[in-house]
Amino acid sequence: MNKQLLQECTGSVQVYESIDTTCDTNEAVNYPAEFLNTLEPSGVPSHTLELKVGAPIMLLRNLHPPSLYNGTRLCIEKQMPNIIEATIMTGHAAVEDVFVPSFPYHSFGFSIPI
């Protein structure tokens, strides 16, 4: 469904990839990045994220409550390699422009910057 909605947005696709590592660096040899990138556990974002300017997105964690919290909907205005400029679409901070940085996501023993 997300890919179909992205096709409706004009412009080029920006691909963001996770950087998967094990929590214990001694275990990195047993879990290569290629293997980690194939995993899709429930509740963890996939390895690649394709976005376009104008696409709606939703935060998956609290960044700066009360305006940037889990579930906040935003519209992408500008994409950069490690940060996204977006406009908040819902809540009391609607129409406010914000920056959403890349940050580490820890779950199930994986560390995934998204």
Side-chain angles (χ1 to χ4, degrees), residues 36-95:
L36 294 174
N37 293 341
T38 64
L39 300 177
E40 294 189 13
S42 177
V44 176
S46 63
H47 170 60
T48 59
L49 177 63
E50 297 178 357
L51 298 173
K52 285 185 180 182
V53 170
I57 59 174
M58 181 186 295
L59 288 180
L60 299 178
R61 68 167 16 179
N62 294 332
L63 289 182
H64 189 265
S67 57
L68 292 176
Y69 56 91
N70 183 16
T72 300
R73 290 176 180 85
L74 306 110
C75 182
I76 298 173
E77 300 296 328
K78 185 176 180 183
Q79 299 177 99
M80 295 160 268
N82 296 311
I83 198 163
I84 295 171
E85 182 179 349
T87 302
I88 299 174
M89 298 191 312
T90 58
H92 76 281
V95 305

